[in-house]
Amino acid sequence: MYLGIDLGTSGVKLLLLDDAHAVVATADATVPQHRPQPTWSEQHPSDWWAAVEAAVAQLRAQVPVAWAQVRGIGLSGHMHGAVVLGAQGQVLRPAILWNDGRASAECAQLEGSVPTSRQITGNLAMPGFTAPKLLWLRTHEPAVFDQIRTVLLPKDWLRLQLAGDAVSDMSDASGTLWLDVQARAWSPAMLQACGLDTSHMPALAEGSAPTGTLRSDVAGRWGLGGNIVVAAGAGDNAASAVGVGARTAGQGFVSLGTSGVVFRVTDAFAPATERAVHAFAHALPQRWHHMSVMLSAASAFGWVTRLTGRSGEAQLSDAVGALSTARQAQAPLFLPYLSGERTPHNNAAATGVFMGLRAEHEATDLAYAVMEGVGFGLLDGLNAMRAAGAGQGGAATRDDAALALVGGGARSNTWAQLLASALGTPLQRPQGAHAAAALGAARLAAMACGGDEAHWCQTLPADATFVPQPAQQALLAERYARFIALYPALQSQF
């Protein structure tokens, strides 16, 4: 048995995987998020650990025999978060998360200090990344900064609790702006620009490598045996790629999680920063990937569900699916920038906008607009990747190359079909798509225990396939032309 632990923004998911690739059981526990000031987003690492402990108790109760057979543990987690530790390993302040926008000024400062930063890191400096957060701390919380001895990413803080080792993997480390992504090593120049050096950084390992064993006290409390391997793991998107079997150039996925992602594997490091496309190391050795990111995706649909007082997202999604084409054509347009935006605008100050509201619009019209606006945001990202030649040719640049569809929003058939038509790309929803990151973490654990990559990193059978529908594409093309005109028209007002 292999345990995958996926630390998400809203909660933690645990998944047990057996030697026959079958998911034996899953468990979830929520994690509170705090926004003490506008644009800020923080969590307490102690809440992550409490959620893991709660989910572990669930799994033990569900499948006690399978649980006792765990041999390896893999980790996945939301990227870019800054967990700062003191000399005794104590957490010095709440973790600053990926969707925190306070460090905009520090991005310009960082790129000014290291003119080659984009070539080194493969990325623009964005407020969500880890390095600008540390610059912000140095300026605004100098007493905290002076105490920092170690900086960890969220899932790697969990690893510290599990195994006692400060280690990160290449994919998650790529999101710090401290990694030389081609060399797969920390960059002294990028660290120095933040007042840090390699002594503040965890050791680095490939995602499928073993990095230690579960601490005996934790194993005893959890009812597990000794010598349980802990794998390096991956950032959540690279873990999802492993979960759906995206391991060769051109393979990839679309994710409808809290944030929205288009991900494609590349076989070389290929920076494409002109339109804010990310170039990161993959969780698998000697591979990289391109990725576009929007900061509000499924979370935007949760927001409109709460805003309109509806009882649940599934019911509202079904109501959207029943809308006529004529009603869809009259719906308002929605800019989905509720937490700012990355690809292609790189603007933490961007906000959500409904354009074209009328008195006759109802909750379902707003919900459709949100689904469509998120789809258009993903299309913006995919178009940026296409312009950059993402995937180094071949299947990766073919518009008809199917992508997997993962994340909590993938449960909605209505949304999945809209996305296929908007992106002009077939989408295959794998079985268990909502747990792809946790599955990827468990697969990395199996590889860390000696398993073969080709055996463990297989594509998943699809439970549904969605193909572009010409009539829907025609409607969406007209509305997308209006959508892309809104951002430049409103940019000065954000």
Side-chain angles (χ1 to χ4, degrees), residues 376-391:
F376 287 161
L378 290 168
L379 178 56
D380 276 349
L382 181 57
N383 284 340
M385 292 170 66
R386 287 167 172 160

Side-chain angles (χ1 to χ4, degrees), residues 317-324 328 364 414:
S317 173
D318 290 342
V320 171
L323 283 178
S324 67
Q328 293 172 11
T364 309
T414 298

Side-chain angles (χ1 to χ4, degrees), residues 33-90:
Q33 187 174 349
H34 307 283
R35 291 190 173 273
Q37 295 190 38
T39 78
W40 289 27
S41 178
E42 299 182 346
Q43 285 180 330
H44 295 285
S46 59
D47 289 336
W48 302 337
W49 187 244
V52 170
E53 294 264 28
V56 164
Q58 293 176 44
L59 278 187
R60 290 184 69 181
Q62 286 180 51
V63 286
V65 175
W67 173 259
Q69 298 172 25
V70 169
R71 296 177 52 216
I73 300 173
L75 294 159
S76 162
H78 49 78
M79 300 175 67
H80 314 305
V83 185
V84 292
L85 306 180
Q88 306 305 314
Q90 75 275 25

Side-chain angles (χ1 to χ4, degrees), residues 43-331:
Q43 285 180 330
H44 295 285
S46 59
D47 289 336
W48 302 337
W49 187 244
V52 170
E53 294 264 28
V56 164
Q58 293 176 44
L59 278 187
R60 290 184 69 181
Q62 286 180 51
V63 286
V65 175
W67 173 259
Q69 298 172 25
V70 169
R71 296 177 52 216
I73 300 173
L75 294 159
S76 162
H78 49 78
M79 300 175 67
H80 314 305
V83 185
V84 292
L85 306 180
Q88 306 305 314
Q90 75 275 25
V91 176
L92 297 175
R93 69 173 321 283
I96 307 175
L97 301 191
W98 59 274
N99 55 351
D100 186 288
R102 76 185 73 178
S104 294
E106 286 74 15
C107 294
Q109 177 186 343
L110 182 59
E111 291 198 337
S113 299
V114 188
T116 57
S117 66
R118 297 183 183 185
Q119 289 73 39
I120 295 170
T121 69
N123 293 278
L124 299 177
M126 298 180 178
F129 282 65
T130 322
K133 296 178 174 70
L134 269 290
L135 280 175
W136 186 92
L137 288 175
R138 186 165 67 169
T139 300
H140 296 278
E141 297 182 7
V144 171
F145 186 87
D146 289 344
Q147 297 179 66
I148 295 172
R149 295 296 176 268
T150 307
V151 184
L152 293 179
L153 293 160
K155 77 157 188 347
D156 298 325
W157 183 84
L158 285 181
R159 180 203 325 284
L160 186 65
Q161 313 314 303
L162 292 169
D165 300 324
V167 181
S168 190
D169 78 287
M170 302 300 176
S171 67
D172 215 358
S174 295
T176 62
L177 291 181
W178 292 317
L179 192 74
D180 181 328
V181 177
Q182 183 167 28
R184 301 170 94 93
W186 296 121
S187 165
M190 296 304 297
L191 288 167
Q192 183 179 3
C194 297
L196 304 170
D197 58 44
T198 54
S199 71
H200 294 94
M201 296 293 106
L204 289 168
E206 297 293 347
S208 54
T211 60
T213 56
L214 186 65
R215 288 168 33 189
S216 59
D217 59 320
V218 178
R221 191 168 69 250
W222 287 4
L224 295 174
N227 298 315
I228 294 174
V229 172
V230 179
D236 51 2
N237 291 301
S240 292
V242 173
V244 301
R247 55 185 288 265
T248 61
Q251 292 181 310
F253 65 83
V254 175
S255 175
L256 271 180
T258 300
S259 60
V261 169
V262 183
F263 179 113
R264 270 177 167 156
V265 180
T266 66
D267 53 13
F269 173 58
T273 58
E274 298 81 6
R275 295 192 66 195
V277 173
H278 300 318
F280 290 160
H282 200 351
L284 301 171
Q286 296 307 305
R287 272 147 292 178
W288 290 259
H289 66 87
H290 278 153
M291 186 167 72
S292 68
V293 176
M294 59 185 300
L295 296 179
S296 295
S299 56
F301 197 77
W303 167 80
V304 78
T305 303
R306 295 189 302 274
L307 182 73
T308 56
R310 292 304 177 97
S311 59
E313 295 178 30
Q315 294 87 343
L316 188 54
S317 173
D318 290 342
V320 171
L323 283 178
S324 67
T325 300
R327 190 67 178 259
Q328 293 172 11
Q330 297 302 314

Side-chain angles (χ1 to χ4, degrees), residues 308-481:
T308 56
R310 292 304 177 97
S311 59
E313 295 178 30
Q315 294 87 343
L316 188 54
S317 173
D318 290 342
V320 171
L323 283 178
S324 67
T325 300
R327 190 67 178 259
Q328 293 172 11
Q330 297 302 314
L333 293 169
F334 178 65
L335 297 188
Y337 312 139
L338 297 176
S339 299
E341 192 57 304
R342 286 201 194 166
T343 314
H345 303 307
N346 187 26
N347 186 352
T351 66
V353 174
F354 279 114
M355 178 61 70
L357 281 172
R358 296 283 188 179
E360 58 267 25
H361 285 136
E362 300 176 354
T364 309
D365 301 302
L366 301 187
Y368 171 80
V370 169
M371 277 189 180
E372 180 190 69
V374 170
F376 287 161
L378 290 168
L379 178 56
D380 276 349
L382 181 57
N383 284 340
M385 292 170 66
R386 287 167 172 160
Q392 307 305 293
T397 56
R398 282 172 37 216
D399 287 352
D400 62 346
L403 295 171
L405 178 64
V406 303
R411 293 185 179 98
S412 168
N413 288 344
T414 298
W415 208 349
Q417 180 54 61
L418 188 153
L419 285 179
S421 293
L423 301 179
T425 300
L427 298 175
Q428 295 176 338
R429 183 174 60 201
Q431 294 177 7
H434 65 286
L439 175 60
R443 287 178 162 190
L444 290 169
M447 288 181 250
C449 290
D452 176 69
E453 177 190 307
H455 173 76
W456 280 104
C457 201
Q458 298 178 24
T459 56
L460 295 173
D463 76 1
T465 299
F466 304 89
V467 299
Q469 295 182 349
Q472 190 175 33
Q473 284 185 286
L475 169 65
L476 293 172
E478 184 274 330
R479 290 175 61 82
Y480 181 63

